[in-house]
Amino acid sequence: MAEVIRMPLLSDTMTEGVIAEWLKKVGDTVKSGDILAEVETDKATMELENYADGTLLYVAAEKGQAIAVNGVLAVVGQPGEDYQALLNGGAAPKAEAAPEVKEEKAPEAPAAPAPAAAKPAVDLSTVKATAIRMPLLSDTMTEGVIANWVKKVGDKVKNGDILAEVETDKATMELENYEDGTLLYIGVEAGAAAKVNQIIAIVGEEGANFQAILDAENGVAAPAAAEPAAAPAASPAASGNGQAIADADGRVKASPLAKSIAKDKGINLSDVTGSGENGRIVKRDLDSFTPKPAAAPAASAPAAAPAPVAAPVAVPAPAGEFEDLPVSQMRKTIARRLAESLYTAPHFYLTMEITMDKAIQLRTQLNEVASAKISFNDFTIKAAALALKQHPAVNASWLGDKIRRYHYINIGVAVAVEDGLVVPVVRNADQKTLSTISTEVKDYAGKAKNKKLQPKDMEGSTFSISNLGMFGIEEFNPIINSPDSCILAVGGIKKTVAVNDAGEFYATNIMKVTLACDHRSVDGATGAAFLQTFKQLLEDPMRMLV
């Protein structure tokens, strides 16, 4: 049965997508996980994965043309299949074709096994209902958690109604409905996770046979599983101890989504057999993948004895009461991204002491006339932005085969929230006043605590700042917020005793900062020069106002 591929919502501000490039053409055989096209959104150019096996029967737009979100993008089905009714959005023309479907079953039954004959019987053209799938709400999202269902089964819904709140790896966002009708089915309960493109609900006419949609969805994987079984005798080796197909450079072929899932699950892609085009690993391969290391001890009798001993060691008995907490999407992302940054980017750290006496005096004077109360954190953001302007090599990213230096300065400001950490971005910070920076940071902090930050608020940083001074921390070593090359850790201001040139003791206020640098793109002397400029600006803060 032909299936419509619609333009997905690839960002929270996206209203349409432009076809940057078609990677498949009409008539090509496609499988779930194949990349159909590259789609240019309002934020980035992203790959569009196919999620139905068959032949590409129709494309709705040529390269360079735009399609509205949820508009028909393509149709995938069987060769020669009539898909026109799907484009017209009506099911009436298919009603007359129902007897023909019955007549076609007879010749198919003897030629194919019984399970295969059952699948063509699912005629979705007569089902007046539409599946609502988990959309891709951010560029790093692989699954979403249903935080709350706003509608329940049986409710009347219209296009634009909010069906649910979805927790992604970056924020909690509202899921809009795009079909008029009745909410017939909810496939994921509140608190449970759903993979991107997984069916989470069905909307349609009351009494519509929505089970047919679910049956068709579950049946997509069946042919893929049956084909390898019917393949030549070499296929059992692949299913038992398969290995991914690598290209000439030794890289394993896998879709971006598959790579992300493999990282989250700790799966070695070289152990997975790809069922996509040219052996490419796709999402379904990881969903069905079962690690095989346990089979090796079973093969030899002597090795079977240690196996029971390993189990108690892996899960030690608790010494007292404990609580296992589920890991939120945000915490999963923090764990994955910080681990990638720490183990991929060679960090080095530069620490410097800064005298804050003049900054303290100026802050007191400014807060008497400023429209918004200015904090020392606002001073550090402004000073860092101006220092970056003088040291553009620090305002950069390592991209593997090139270093990208940005001609704009966007400062990411780490904000602690209940579930972890978010980094909203103050854009063009070098061009903004201290009062404007203060207002923006306070607004972001409020949104973060209320879970109202949008992905666009946290994208595009070129440099980051993490301030733990308000917690009494004097200094710490931060982890770089990739793809930035540097992050500045700011400690608290501490009153101490210093000695002047005449040998006299006097009280002063010292603040320690630590700059973490990615040594691939920033050298020690470059980072040190940046810190010297940063120090000069804070020790003589009037320079930031002129």
Side-chain angles (χ1 to χ4, degrees):
M1 181 64 201
E3 183 162 352
V4 172
I5 308 296
R6 297 181 179 274
M7 176 65 73
L9 182 68
L10 299 173
S11 79
D12 58 303
T13 58
M14 176 181 172
T15 58
E16 64 180 18
V18 175
I19 303 298
E21 188 71 40
W22 279 106
L23 302 181
K24 300 292 183 181
K25 62 182 184 294
V26 172
D28 284 356
T29 300
V30 294
K31 293 184 179 181
S32 176
D34 287 353
I35 305 302
L36 292 180
E38 292 178 348
V39 177
E40 182 181 347
T41 73
D42 56 340
K43 292 183 178 177
T45 299
M46 306 178 70
E47 294 181 336
L48 177 71
E49 280 197 14
N50 174 48
Y51 48 82
D53 291 353
T55 299
L56 185 58
L57 303 177
Y58 169 81
V59 295
E62 298 298 326
K63 176 181 176 180
Q65 294 182 333
I67 298 178
V69 169
N70 288 320
V72 175
L73 186 64
V75 177
V76 174
Q78 299 304 313
E81 189 173 356
D82 182 13
Y83 56 83
Q84 198 60 44
L86 296 176
L87 301 181
N88 297 334
K94 290 291 182 180
E96 298 177 1
E100 295 178 10
V101 175
K102 293 179 181 178
E103 292 175 5
E104 290 174 1
K105 289 181 194 173
E108 286 181 5
K119 293 181 186 77
V122 181
D123 186 3
L124 298 184
S125 65
T126 62
V127 179
K128 297 182 178 181
T130 301
I132 307 297
R133 298 177 181 272
M134 177 62 73
L136 183 68
L137 298 174
S138 78
D139 53 350
T140 57
M141 175 181 173
T142 58
E143 65 179 13
V145 174
I146 302 296
N148 176 50
W149 280 104
V150 178
K151 301 291 185 180
K152 62 182 184 295
V153 172
D155 286 355
K156 299 288 186 182
V157 292
K158 293 183 177 181
N159 182 18
D161 286 355
I162 304 302
L163 292 180
E165 294 178 342
V166 177
E167 178 189 347
T168 72
D169 56 343
K170 292 185 176 178
T172 298
M173 306 179 66
E174 294 177 334
L175 177 69
E176 278 194 18
N177 173 48
Y178 47 83
E179 293 289 338
D180 293 347
T182 301
L183 184 56
L184 304 174
Y185 168 79
I186 289 178
V188 182
E189 296 300 324
K195 298 291 184 182
V196 170
N197 280 327
Q198 178 181 332
I199 292 178
I200 57 175
I202 296 178
V203 173
E205 293 186 1
E206 285 191 57
N209 180 23
F210 64 84
Q211 189 60 46
I213 296 177
L214 299 177
D215 291 343
E217 179 75 7
N218 296 332
V220 169
E227 289 171 13
S235 62
S239 61
N241 190 19
Q243 291 186 343
I245 297 176
D247 59 16
D249 297 329
R251 295 178 300 173
V252 175
K253 296 179 180 178
S255 71
L257 179 58
K259 291 178 181 178
S260 178
I261 294 173
K263 285 182 181 178
D264 290 341
K265 293 185 176 182
I267 297 174
N268 186 348
L269 287 174
S270 61
D271 295 335
V272 182
T273 301
S275 61
E277 184 179 24
N278 297 323
R280 195 166 186 258
I281 297 172
V282 294
K283 174 180 173 290
R284 65 161 178 245
D285 300 321
L286 294 171
D287 291 341
S288 61
F289 176 72
T290 303
K292 298 296 181 181
S300 59
V309 180
V313 176
V315 186
E321 294 184 359
F322 67 95
E323 181 182 8
D324 290 333
L325 301 176
V327 180
S328 67
Q329 294 298 106
M330 180 182 293
R331 178 54 61 185
K332 286 180 182 177
T333 304
I334 291 171
R336 175 175 56 80
R337 293 197 63 198
L338 292 186
E340 287 176 359
S341 174
L342 187 61
Y343 297 124
T344 302
H347 286 52
F348 72 90
Y349 301 93
L350 304 171
T351 301
M352 181 173 281
E353 289 187 350
I354 299 173
T355 302
M356 296 294 289
D357 295 338
K358 290 185 178 180
I360 292 172
Q361 294 172 7
L362 181 60
R363 176 175 176 264
T364 302
Q365 295 171 3
L366 291 176
N367 279 336
E368 292 176 357
V369 296
S371 58
K373 187 176 180 181
I374 299 169
S375 69
F376 290 113
N377 196 50
D378 303 326
F379 272 82
T380 61
I381 294 171
K382 180 68 173 179
L386 294 177
L388 287 170
K389 203 168 185 179
Q390 296 186 42
H391 303 277
V394 178
N395 193 46
S397 293
W398 173 264
L399 300 181
D401 58 344
K402 57 182 173 287
I403 296 174
R404 176 170 296 165
R405 290 187 180 178
Y406 301 100
H407 297 162
Y408 54 90
I409 297 171
N410 293 347
I411 306 292
V413 183
V415 177
V417 294
E418 183 181 355
D419 296 334
L421 182 75
V422 292
V423 187
V425 179
V426 178
R427 303 179 190 282
N428 301 309
D430 58 313
Q431 303 172 22
K432 294 179 176 176
T433 64
L434 286 167
S435 295
T436 302
I437 291 172
S438 175
T439 300
E440 280 194 29
V441 172
K442 286 182 176 65
D443 181 52
Y444 281 142
K447 286 182 177 180
K449 287 177 172 54
N450 295 323
K451 296 185 176 181
K452 296 298 182 182
L453 278 177
Q454 298 298 310
K456 63 182 178 63
D457 298 328
M458 297 176 281
E459 296 172 353
S461 68
T462 62
F463 183 90
S464 300
I465 293 177
S466 180
N467 190 340
L468 294 179
M470 66 285 293
F471 298 107
I473 302 300
E474 291 187 21
E475 61 178 305
F476 62 100
N477 292 343
I479 299 175
I480 296 169
N481 178 35
S482 297
D484 300 351
S485 286
C486 297
I487 181 171
L488 185 69
V490 181
I493 298 174
K494 182 180 180 181
K495 183 162 284 190
T496 186
V497 177
V499 183
N500 61 22
D501 294 338
E504 300 170 339
F505 293 94
Y506 66 97
T508 188
N509 295 277
I510 298 295
M511 180 179 76
K512 288 184 179 181
V513 296
T514 300
L515 182 69
C517 304
D518 183 346
H519 217 324
R520 297 174 300 180
S521 51
V522 177
D523 294 324
T526 305
F530 165 84
L531 279 183
Q532 286 178 339
T533 302
F534 179 77
K535 174 185 173 76
Q536 291 166 5
L537 288 167
L538 283 180
E539 291 188 341
D540 188 10
M542 283 297 294
R543 296 172 55 190
M544 295 191 291
L545 306 182
V546 295

Short mmCIF file of all heavy atoms in Angstrom, two decimals, residues 500-538:
data_model
loop_
_atom_site.label_atom_id
_atom_site.label_comp_id
_atom_site.label_asym_id
_atom_site.label_seq_id
_atom_site.Cartn_x
_atom_site.Cartn_y
_atom_site.Cartn_z
N ASN A 500 51.35 46.30 47.68
CA ASN A 500 51.63 47.24 46.60
C ASN A 500 53.13 47.38 46.37
O ASN A 500 53.94 46.73 47.06
CB ASN A 500 50.98 48.59 46.87
CG ASN A 500 51.49 49.24 48.15
OD1 ASN A 500 52.59 48.91 48.63
ND2 ASN A 500 50.71 50.15 48.71
N ASP A 501 53.50 48.24 45.44
CA ASP A 501 54.92 48.38 45.09
C ASP A 501 55.75 48.93 46.24
O ASP A 501 56.97 48.70 46.32
CB ASP A 501 55.06 49.31 43.87
CG ASP A 501 54.45 48.71 42.62
OD1 ASP A 501 54.31 47.46 42.59
OD2 ASP A 501 54.09 49.46 41.70
N ALA A 502 55.11 49.63 47.18
CA ALA A 502 55.82 50.20 48.33
C ALA A 502 55.95 49.20 49.48
O ALA A 502 56.47 49.53 50.55
CB ALA A 502 55.12 51.47 48.80
N GLY A 503 55.44 47.98 49.26
CA GLY A 503 55.51 46.97 50.30
C GLY A 503 54.41 47.08 51.33
O GLY A 503 54.46 46.44 52.39
N GLU A 504 53.37 47.87 51.03
CA GLU A 504 52.27 48.06 51.97
C GLU A 504 51.15 47.06 51.68
O GLU A 504 50.85 46.76 50.52
CB GLU A 504 51.73 49.49 51.87
CG GLU A 504 52.77 50.56 52.18
CD GLU A 504 52.29 51.95 51.84
OE1 GLU A 504 51.35 52.09 51.01
OE2 GLU A 504 52.84 52.90 52.40
N PHE A 505 50.53 46.57 52.74
CA PHE A 505 49.42 45.65 52.62
C PHE A 505 48.11 46.43 52.44
O PHE A 505 47.91 47.48 53.05
CB PHE A 505 49.32 44.75 53.86
CG PHE A 505 50.48 43.80 54.00
CD1 PHE A 505 51.58 44.12 54.79
CD2 PHE A 505 50.46 42.57 53.36
CE1 PHE A 505 52.65 43.26 54.92
CE2 PHE A 505 51.52 41.69 53.49
CZ PHE A 505 52.62 42.04 54.28
N TYR A 506 47.25 45.88 51.61
CA TYR A 506 45.93 46.52 51.44
C TYR A 506 44.91 45.44 51.05
O TYR A 506 45.27 44.36 50.53
CB TYR A 506 45.99 47.61 50.37
CG TYR A 506 46.27 47.11 48.97
CD1 TYR A 506 45.22 46.89 48.06
CD2 TYR A 506 47.58 46.83 48.54
CE1 TYR A 506 45.48 46.41 46.78
CE2 TYR A 506 47.83 46.37 47.27
CZ TYR A 506 46.78 46.17 46.39
OH TYR A 506 47.03 45.69 45.12
N ALA A 507 43.65 45.73 51.31
CA ALA A 507 42.56 44.80 50.99
C ALA A 507 42.15 44.98 49.54
O ALA A 507 42.10 46.11 49.02
CB ALA A 507 41.37 45.03 51.90
N THR A 508 41.87 43.89 48.89
CA THR A 508 41.44 43.94 47.49
C THR A 508 40.48 42.78 47.21
O THR A 508 40.35 41.86 48.02
CB THR A 508 42.65 43.87 46.54
OG1 THR A 508 42.22 44.10 45.21
CG2 THR A 508 43.34 42.51 46.62
N ASN A 509 39.82 42.84 46.06
CA ASN A 509 38.84 41.81 45.67
C ASN A 509 39.34 41.10 44.41
O ASN A 509 39.59 41.74 43.39
CB ASN A 509 37.48 42.45 45.40
CG ASN A 509 36.88 43.05 46.65
OD1 ASN A 509 36.27 42.35 47.45
ND2 ASN A 509 37.04 44.36 46.84
N ILE A 510 39.49 39.79 44.54
CA ILE A 510 40.06 38.97 43.47
C ILE A 510 39.01 37.99 42.94
O ILE A 510 38.25 37.38 43.72
CB ILE A 510 41.29 38.20 43.95
CG1 ILE A 510 42.40 39.16 44.38
CG2 ILE A 510 41.80 37.25 42.86
CD1 ILE A 510 42.96 40.01 43.25
N MET A 511 38.96 37.85 41.63
CA MET A 511 38.11 36.83 40.99
C MET A 511 39.00 35.97 40.09
O MET A 511 39.79 36.50 39.31
CB MET A 511 37.01 37.50 40.16
CG MET A 511 36.08 36.52 39.45
SD MET A 511 34.77 37.35 38.51
CE MET A 511 35.70 37.93 37.07
N LYS A 512 38.84 34.65 40.20
CA LYS A 512 39.60 33.74 39.36
C LYS A 512 38.74 33.25 38.19
O LYS A 512 37.55 32.93 38.37
CB LYS A 512 40.10 32.53 40.16
CG LYS A 512 41.21 32.84 41.14
CD LYS A 512 41.71 31.57 41.81
CE LYS A 512 42.86 31.86 42.77
NZ LYS A 512 43.37 30.62 43.42
N VAL A 513 39.35 33.22 37.02
CA VAL A 513 38.67 32.66 35.85
C VAL A 513 39.56 31.61 35.22
O VAL A 513 40.79 31.71 35.28
CB VAL A 513 38.33 33.77 34.81
CG1 VAL A 513 37.35 34.76 35.39
CG2 VAL A 513 39.58 34.46 34.31
N THR A 514 38.94 30.58 34.62
CA THR A 514 39.67 29.52 33.94
C THR A 514 39.13 29.36 32.54
O THR A 514 37.92 29.18 32.35
CB THR A 514 39.55 28.19 34.70
OG1 THR A 514 40.10 28.33 36.01
CG2 THR A 514 40.31 27.07 33.97
N LEU A 515 39.99 29.45 31.55
CA LEU A 515 39.60 29.29 30.15
C LEU A 515 39.96 27.88 29.69
O LEU A 515 41.13 27.49 29.72
CB LEU A 515 40.32 30.32 29.28
CG LEU A 515 39.96 30.30 27.78
CD1 LEU A 515 38.53 30.77 27.56
CD2 LEU A 515 40.94 31.17 26.98
N ALA A 516 38.95 27.09 29.30
CA ALA A 516 39.17 25.77 28.72
C ALA A 516 39.22 25.93 27.21
O ALA A 516 38.31 26.52 26.61
CB ALA A 516 38.07 24.81 29.12
N CYS A 517 40.27 25.42 26.57
CA CYS A 517 40.47 25.58 25.13
C CYS A 517 40.58 24.22 24.44
O CYS A 517 41.15 23.28 25.00
CB CYS A 517 41.74 26.38 24.85
SG CYS A 517 41.79 28.00 25.63
N ASP A 518 40.07 24.16 23.24
CA ASP A 518 40.25 23.01 22.35
C ASP A 518 41.57 23.22 21.62
O ASP A 518 41.69 24.13 20.79
CB ASP A 518 39.10 22.93 21.37
CG ASP A 518 39.18 21.72 20.45
OD1 ASP A 518 40.26 21.09 20.39
OD2 ASP A 518 38.17 21.41 19.79
N HIS A 519 42.58 22.39 21.95
CA HIS A 519 43.92 22.61 21.41
C HIS A 519 44.00 22.38 19.90
O HIS A 519 45.00 22.74 19.27
CB HIS A 519 44.93 21.70 22.12
CG HIS A 519 46.26 22.33 22.35
ND1 HIS A 519 46.84 23.19 21.44
CD2 HIS A 519 47.15 22.24 23.37
CE1 HIS A 519 48.01 23.61 21.88
NE2 HIS A 519 48.22 23.05 23.06
N ARG A 520 42.98 21.80 19.30
CA ARG A 520 42.98 21.61 17.86
C ARG A 520 42.85 22.94 17.12
O ARG A 520 43.33 23.08 15.99
CB ARG A 520 41.86 20.65 17.45
CG ARG A 520 41.99 19.25 18.01
CD ARG A 520 40.78 18.40 17.69
NE ARG A 520 39.55 18.97 18.25
CZ ARG A 520 38.34 18.43 18.11
NH1 ARG A 520 38.20 17.32 17.41
NH2 ARG A 520 37.28 18.99 18.67
N SER A 521 42.13 23.89 17.74
CA SER A 521 41.88 25.17 17.07
C SER A 521 42.45 26.37 17.79
O SER A 521 42.60 27.44 17.19
CB SER A 521 40.36 25.37 16.88
OG SER A 521 39.68 25.18 18.11
N VAL A 522 42.77 26.23 19.09
CA VAL A 522 43.29 27.35 19.88
C VAL A 522 44.57 26.91 20.58
O VAL A 522 44.56 25.91 21.30
CB VAL A 522 42.26 27.85 20.91
CG1 VAL A 522 42.84 28.97 21.76
CG2 VAL A 522 40.99 28.32 20.22
N ASP A 523 45.64 27.67 20.41
CA ASP A 523 46.90 27.37 21.08
C ASP A 523 46.99 28.11 22.41
O ASP A 523 46.23 29.05 22.68
CB ASP A 523 48.08 27.77 20.19
CG ASP A 523 48.16 26.91 18.94
OD1 ASP A 523 47.84 25.70 19.04
OD2 ASP A 523 48.54 27.44 17.88
N GLY A 524 47.96 27.69 23.22
CA GLY A 524 48.11 28.27 24.55
C GLY A 524 48.34 29.77 24.52
O GLY A 524 47.75 30.53 25.30
N ALA A 525 49.23 30.25 23.64
CA ALA A 525 49.52 31.68 23.57
C ALA A 525 48.30 32.48 23.13
O ALA A 525 48.06 33.60 23.60
CB ALA A 525 50.67 31.92 22.60
N THR A 526 47.48 31.88 22.25
CA THR A 526 46.26 32.55 21.79
C THR A 526 45.28 32.71 22.93
O THR A 526 44.69 33.78 23.13
CB THR A 526 45.62 31.74 20.64
OG1 THR A 526 46.58 31.55 19.61
CG2 THR A 526 44.41 32.46 20.09
N GLY A 527 45.08 31.62 23.70
CA GLY A 527 44.18 31.69 24.85
C GLY A 527 44.68 32.66 25.91
O GLY A 527 43.90 33.40 26.52
N ALA A 528 46.00 32.68 26.14
CA ALA A 528 46.59 33.58 27.15
C ALA A 528 46.39 35.04 26.74
O ALA A 528 46.07 35.90 27.58
CB ALA A 528 48.06 33.27 27.32
N ALA A 529 46.57 35.35 25.45
CA ALA A 529 46.39 36.73 24.97
C ALA A 529 44.94 37.17 25.16
O ALA A 529 44.66 38.32 25.54
CB ALA A 529 46.79 36.82 23.50
N PHE A 530 43.99 36.26 24.90
CA PHE A 530 42.58 36.58 25.12
C PHE A 530 42.33 36.91 26.60
O PHE A 530 41.65 37.89 26.92
CB PHE A 530 41.70 35.39 24.69
CG PHE A 530 40.29 35.47 25.19
CD1 PHE A 530 39.34 36.22 24.51
CD2 PHE A 530 39.90 34.80 26.35
CE1 PHE A 530 38.03 36.31 24.99
CE2 PHE A 530 38.60 34.87 26.82
CZ PHE A 530 37.66 35.63 26.14
N LEU A 531 42.88 36.09 27.51
CA LEU A 531 42.67 36.32 28.94
C LEU A 531 43.28 37.64 29.40
O LEU A 531 42.73 38.32 30.28
CB LEU A 531 43.25 35.15 29.75
CG LEU A 531 42.38 33.90 29.87
CD1 LEU A 531 43.06 32.86 30.76
CD2 LEU A 531 40.99 34.23 30.42
N GLN A 532 44.41 38.01 28.84
CA GLN A 532 45.02 39.28 29.21
C GLN A 532 44.10 40.45 28.84
O GLN A 532 43.92 41.39 29.63
CB GLN A 532 46.38 39.43 28.51
CG GLN A 532 47.47 38.56 29.12
CD GLN A 532 48.79 38.70 28.37
OE1 GLN A 532 48.83 39.11 27.22
NE2 GLN A 532 49.90 38.35 29.04
N THR A 533 43.52 40.40 27.65
CA THR A 533 42.58 41.45 27.24
C THR A 533 41.34 41.44 28.12
O THR A 533 40.83 42.50 28.53
CB THR A 533 42.18 41.27 25.76
OG1 THR A 533 43.36 41.29 24.96
CG2 THR A 533 41.23 42.35 25.31
N PHE A 534 40.83 40.27 28.42
CA PHE A 534 39.66 40.12 29.28
C PHE A 534 39.94 40.72 30.67
O PHE A 534 39.10 41.44 31.23
CB PHE A 534 39.32 38.62 29.39
CG PHE A 534 38.15 38.32 30.29
CD1 PHE A 534 36.85 38.53 29.87
CD2 PHE A 534 38.36 37.79 31.55
CE1 PHE A 534 35.77 38.23 30.70
CE2 PHE A 534 37.30 37.48 32.38
CZ PHE A 534 36.00 37.71 31.96
N LYS A 535 41.13 40.44 31.19
CA LYS A 535 41.54 40.96 32.50
C LYS A 535 41.62 42.50 32.47
O LYS A 535 41.12 43.17 33.38
CB LYS A 535 42.90 40.36 32.87
CG LYS A 535 43.54 40.91 34.15
CD LYS A 535 44.93 40.30 34.32
CE LYS A 535 45.68 40.94 35.48
NZ LYS A 535 45.18 40.44 36.78
N GLN A 536 42.21 43.05 31.43
CA GLN A 536 42.33 44.50 31.32
C GLN A 536 40.97 45.19 31.29
O GLN A 536 40.77 46.25 31.89
CB GLN A 536 43.13 44.86 30.06
CG GLN A 536 44.61 44.46 30.14
CD GLN A 536 45.29 44.51 28.78
OE1 GLN A 536 44.69 44.92 27.78
NE2 GLN A 536 46.55 44.07 28.73
N LEU A 537 40.01 44.58 30.60
CA LEU A 537 38.67 45.17 30.49
C LEU A 537 37.95 45.17 31.84
O LEU A 537 37.24 46.13 32.16
CB LEU A 537 37.85 44.41 29.45
CG LEU A 537 38.26 44.63 27.99
CD1 LEU A 537 37.60 43.61 27.08
CD2 LEU A 537 37.89 46.06 27.54
N LEU A 538 38.11 44.11 32.62
CA LEU A 538 37.43 44.05 33.92
C LEU A 538 38.14 44.89 34.98
O LEU A 538 37.50 45.41 35.90
CB LEU A 538 37.32 42.60 34.38
CG LEU A 538 36.24 41.76 33.70
CD1 LEU A 538 36.23 40.33 34.25
CD2 LEU A 538 34.85 42.37 33.87
#
